[in-house]
Amino acid sequence: KLSRKKIYGNATQKAMLKAHPELNTYLSQRLAEPQTGKLRIVYDIAVRMIRPEYNRSGFFFAGTSLDRKRGPSSTGRERFAMLGFENAGREGKIDLFAREGRNSWDDKTILVEDLDLREWYTITVEIDVPAKTFTVQVDDGPVHGPLQAFKTKNHPTPEAVTHVSFATWNDGAGTFYVDNVSAVAR
């Protein structure tokens, strides 16, 4: 859903992905050309809420669409970079995390702690496809990484990034806003 109303001080048109306990919702954009080198993706995000029974949402993916059925980055084997937010255990606070390599949800990498719900943040993701790594920066904070590209048990990391996606899942339900998404080959 596109919103033109002022959200947390941002009056520009932005996309809203809304929590639903039974549905997965993706917002994806195909890049003009498959990226096999270095790529910088920048986006603004504000997380309104994460349902406490799921504890995570606001997912970002850089990846591809291999199955051509359920959409880009809808399966682990299609994901190169994966970020998300989780409730930090303190009222109104969230943590930004990355899933890297073959790590499980329990072994995710916490990148930035104690971010505020209902606050806009600029996330910069620098992807190096040949090296199978990426870095993450929030606003003007420190750069985190290099992080290992996402990899599933039976499938290698994708050799190209073709799509940028955002998602809220039935088992990772939250409501968030995305704005100013850009992707530039480096």
Side-chain angles (χ1 to χ4, degrees):
K1 176 179 175 181
L2 292 178
S3 175
R4 290 186 186 267
K5 70 179 188 176
K6 194 172 189 176
I7 305 291
Y8 317 131
N10 178 341
T12 65
Q13 184 170 323
K14 64 208 73 51
M16 177 182 85
L17 284 86
K18 189 172 182 178
H20 193 289
E22 297 173 15
L23 301 175
N24 295 341
T25 303
Y26 285 82
L27 172 66
S28 297
Q29 177 64 48
R30 182 175 37 198
L31 302 175
E33 295 182 22
Q35 299 298 308
T36 57
K38 294 183 179 182
L39 175 68
R40 171 184 276 175
I41 301 168
V42 180
Y43 63 95
D44 295 335
I45 189 167
V47 179
R48 180 176 162 200
M49 58 79 74
I50 298 173
R51 291 179 62 116
E53 65 269 32
Y54 303 113
N55 195 42
R56 60 183 178 245
S57 191
F59 302 114
F60 159 87
F61 305 104
T64 191
S65 182
L66 298 173
D67 67 13
R68 304 209 188 274
K69 294 178 185 173
R70 296 183 296 185
S73 296
S74 61
T75 65
R77 72 188 201 115
E78 297 175 322
R79 299 173 187 150
F80 186 97
M82 178 179 179
L83 302 175
F85 292 90
E86 68 180 8
N87 289 317
R90 292 164 300 290
E91 184 69 30
K93 298 292 185 180
I94 53 177
D95 296 338
L96 175 66
F97 67 83
R99 293 272 313 269
E100 57 175 321
R102 290 186 182 156
N103 71 7
S104 68
W105 286 108
D106 292 336
D107 296 327
K108 64 193 168 293
T109 303
I110 302 297
L111 302 176
V112 182
E113 295 180 311
D114 288 333
L115 296 170
D116 293 314
L117 283 170
R118 301 178 178 185
E119 180 76 29
W120 284 97
Y121 294 99
T122 299
I123 310 288
T124 303
V125 182
E126 297 273 357
I127 293 174
D128 186 334
V129 176
K132 298 185 181 345
T133 61
F134 64 101
T135 63
V136 177
Q137 183 178 25
V138 177
D139 293 336
D140 293 324
V143 174
H144 301 275
L147 304 163
Q148 295 177 356
F150 192 80
K151 184 176 182 178
T152 59
K153 184 177 180 183
N154 297 318
H155 299 285
T157 299
E159 297 294 323
V161 172
T162 60
H163 291 78
V164 174
S165 301
F166 299 90
T168 181
W169 293 337
N170 61 335
D171 63 350
T175 298
F176 62 97
Y177 302 88
V178 178
D179 197 7
N180 300 316
V181 180
S182 66
V184 178
R186 306 286 292 160

